[in-house]
């Protein structure tokens, strides 16, 4: 069965700091990978997705993620966070009519 | 503590039939969200419900789709007169209340195939 691990439960950063949120998955076949963000009081939004091709994926709002197949990882990065990036971030993996979400990482950015 | 339970996991319907998808939130959660994932796309918000109340249905198609979350029992997403384009995975999530930065939990999804 597929599983997704987000190791950081809560990350606190100051503005302008760099961000990297870890996501590791367990699955034997071809996968599609996603990062979603949920801002306080809002619904889930898609940040970026990887289906195939260039393993470095650029998303909205300056986020990017790198698919490293050998490490089963799809870490989310942003070089310089802003206070408005405070939100919950979810990694998800889909494949073979199955989709799993990580437990989420809460990011708090201090102004 | 059981997680968010969705059933059925897989559902096949012929065009014109009705599909009912159920979502039982986590114990103690009074808010439910439904999302749809079309092939090759990310999740799209459909509706946000509190018990006996629809908070936001801005993502629901205007026709054939409805959702409810009664005082007792699971939340139901109902699709009438299904068409092939309704084939998708439907995900439910629940939270204890207005989210303040998290504590939202997802079900494993219901895959609808319209033939």
């Amino acid at each position: 069965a597929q599983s997704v691990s987000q190791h950081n439960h809560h990350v606190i950063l100051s503005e302008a700091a760099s961000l990297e949120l870890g996501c590791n998955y367990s699955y034997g076949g071809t996968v599609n990978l996603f990062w979603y963000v949920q801002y306080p009081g809002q619904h889930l939004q898609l940040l970026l997705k990887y289906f195939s091709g260039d393993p470095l994926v650029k998303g909205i709002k300056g986020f990017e993620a790198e698919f490293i197949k050998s490490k089963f990882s799809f870490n989310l990065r942003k070089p310089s966070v802003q206070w408005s990036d405070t939100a919950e971030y979810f990694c998800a993996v889909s494949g073979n009519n199955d989709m799993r979400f990580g437990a989420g990482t809460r990011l708090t950015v201090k102004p | 503590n059981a997680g968010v339970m969705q059933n059925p996991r897989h559902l096949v319907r012929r065009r014109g039939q009705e599909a009912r998808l159920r979502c039982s939130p986590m114990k103690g959660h009074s808010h439910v969200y439904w999302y749809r994932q079309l092939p090759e796309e990310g999740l799209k918000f459909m509706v946000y419900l509190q018990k006996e109340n629809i908070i936001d249905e801005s993502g629901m198609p205007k026709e054939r789709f409805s959702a409810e979350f009664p005082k007792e029992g699971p939340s139901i997403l109902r699709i009438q007169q299904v068409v092939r384009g309704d084939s998708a995975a439907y995900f439910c999530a629940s939270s204890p209340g207005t989210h303040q930065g998290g504590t939202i939990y997802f079900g494993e999804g219901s895959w609808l195939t319209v033939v």
Side-chain angles (χ1 to χ4, degrees):
Chain A
Q2 298 180 113
S3 66
V4 182
S5 295
Q6 289 181 247
H7 306 295
N8 310 106
H9 182 64
H10 191 187
V11 173
I12 302 172
L13 295 172
S14 297
E15 275 195 313
S18 66
L19 169 72
E20 180 158 3
L21 301 183
C23 174
N24 287 91
Y25 65 93
S26 171
Y27 187 63
T30 302
V31 294
N32 299 322
L33 299 154
F34 307 81
W35 274 99
Y36 291 92
V37 60
Q38 187 162 35
Y39 298 103
Q42 296 185 27
H43 315 117
L44 219 59
Q45 295 177 44
L46 180 66
L47 267 182
L48 46 82
K49 61 186 177 186
Y50 172 80
F51 283 175
S52 63
D54 189 343
L56 184 61
V57 181
K58 304 250 184 235
I60 61 171
K61 306 189 182 191
F63 286 91
E64 65 177 33
E66 186 174 10
F67 171 48
I68 303 180
K69 191 174 180 180
S70 60
K71 294 185 179 180
F72 298 91
S73 70
F74 190 56
N75 292 355
L76 181 71
R77 300 195 293 247
K78 185 169 183 178
S80 176
V81 294
Q82 300 171 311
W83 176 78
S84 58
D85 293 324
T86 294
E88 185 97 3
Y89 292 82
F90 293 89
C91 179
V93 175
S94 75
N96 231 16
N97 271 355
D98 192 9
M99 184 158 183
R100 300 298 166 109
F101 292 86
T105 297
R106 184 184 307 178
L107 172 64
T108 302
V109 180
K110 294 181 176 178
Chain B
N1 190 9
V4 178
M5 304 299 291
Q6 288 189 247
N7 70 82
R9 289 297 312 279
H10 297 276
L11 181 64
V12 179
R13 284 287 178 266
R14 294 187 185 280
R15 280 178 294 173
Q17 290 184 318
E18 179 180 287
R20 283 189 181 223
L21 309 177
R22 286 176 289 279
C23 170
S24 296
M26 284 186 72
K27 188 176 179 181
H29 286 192
S30 58
H31 292 239
V32 163
Y33 309 80
W34 284 95
Y35 294 87
R36 176 167 63 172
Q37 183 179 25
L38 295 169
E40 300 292 309
E41 296 184 17
L43 289 180
K44 292 277 187 339
F45 167 75
M46 297 183 76
V47 62
Y48 167 35
L49 308 111
Q50 198 177 357
K51 278 194 183 286
E52 299 185 281
N53 199 14
I54 296 174
I55 307 295
D56 181 353
E57 56 181 349
S58 58
M60 288 281 268
K62 298 291 182 222
E63 296 176 346
R64 304 187 297 108
F65 284 71
S66 62
E68 62 176 10
F69 188 17
K71 189 176 179 182
E72 301 290 337
S75 175
I76 307 281
L77 179 67
R78 183 181 176 205
I79 311 171
Q80 295 177 287
Q81 298 174 320
V82 295
V83 300
R84 287 234 169 97
D86 297 333
S87 294
Y90 293 83
F91 286 88
C92 169
S94 75
S95 75
T98 304
H99 24 276
Q100 294 144 356
T103 62
I104 183 168
Y105 299 88
F106 288 89
E108 294 189 338
S110 291
W111 265 256
L112 172 65
T113 303
V114 180
V115 297

